[in-house]
Amino acid sequence: EATLDLAERRRIRSAIRELQRQELERDEETLASKRFRPERSSHRQDDKENWPRSRRLEEEQQAALAALSEQLEAITSVEELTKLLRAAGEYEERKLIRAAIRKLRAEEIEAASLAGNVQSSR
């Protein structure tokens, strides 16, 4: 508004447009980096103080799940597994127990169908 020279006004407007374009590009880059950033790494960056503790807890949980998995292999009763399922508190534990129940039921169905095939062949 202060200058009357049209060429200078054009240069000022183009400089303003260039600054706005650069700002938009930075905003888009920021959005893209946030959109594709893995969840866990951002959490660890925010909470570096508790990271070793959470990593240790995660390792302990994995060990407990491995032990539970071995225990579930030894159980052959759907009723026992159902009791364990009702008592389980963690999602991962329930997930393992449900998988064991599905496996046992599939084995029971397979055994029943084999028994039916043997009987029908007699």
Side-chain angles (χ1 to χ4, degrees), residues 12 17 28 47 52 65 88 95 121:
I12 292 170
R17 280 194 296 274
E28 288 173 355
D47 197 10
L65 289 175
K95 184 176 167 183
S121 66

Side-chain angles (χ1 to χ4, degrees), residues 68-108:
L68 176 65
S69 181
E70 290 177 14
Q71 179 186 0
L72 294 176
E73 290 290 325
I75 298 175
T76 58
S77 168
V78 174
E79 290 79 25
E80 288 180 48
L81 289 173
T82 305
K83 287 177 187 175
L84 280 175
L85 180 63
R86 290 187 180 132
E90 294 293 321
Y91 170 77
E92 292 295 326
E93 290 175 2
R94 292 192 308 266
K95 184 176 167 183
L96 281 174
I97 295 169
R98 284 193 298 271
I101 290 172
R102 281 192 297 273
K103 182 180 173 187
L104 270 180
R105 287 186 178 153
E107 289 172 358
E108 287 174 358

Side-chain angles (χ1 to χ4, degrees), residues 13-55:
R13 281 193 211 110
S14 68
I16 290 172
R17 280 194 296 274
E18 179 64 23
L19 288 172
Q20 289 172 337
R21 185 187 62 76
Q22 289 174 357
E23 186 177 0
L24 279 173
E25 286 177 356
R26 278 194 307 270
D27 290 346
E28 288 173 355
E29 288 174 4
T30 303
L31 275 176
S33 70
K34 285 182 181 177
R35 189 175 304 138
F36 298 110
R37 184 184 311 154
E39 286 280 328
R40 301 188 116 193
S41 67
S42 66
H43 172 69
R44 287 180 180 165
Q45 287 173 355
D46 294 340
D47 197 10
K48 287 182 181 179
E49 196 172 287
N50 293 328
W51 185 69
R53 181 174 164 235
S54 65
R55 189 167 137 198

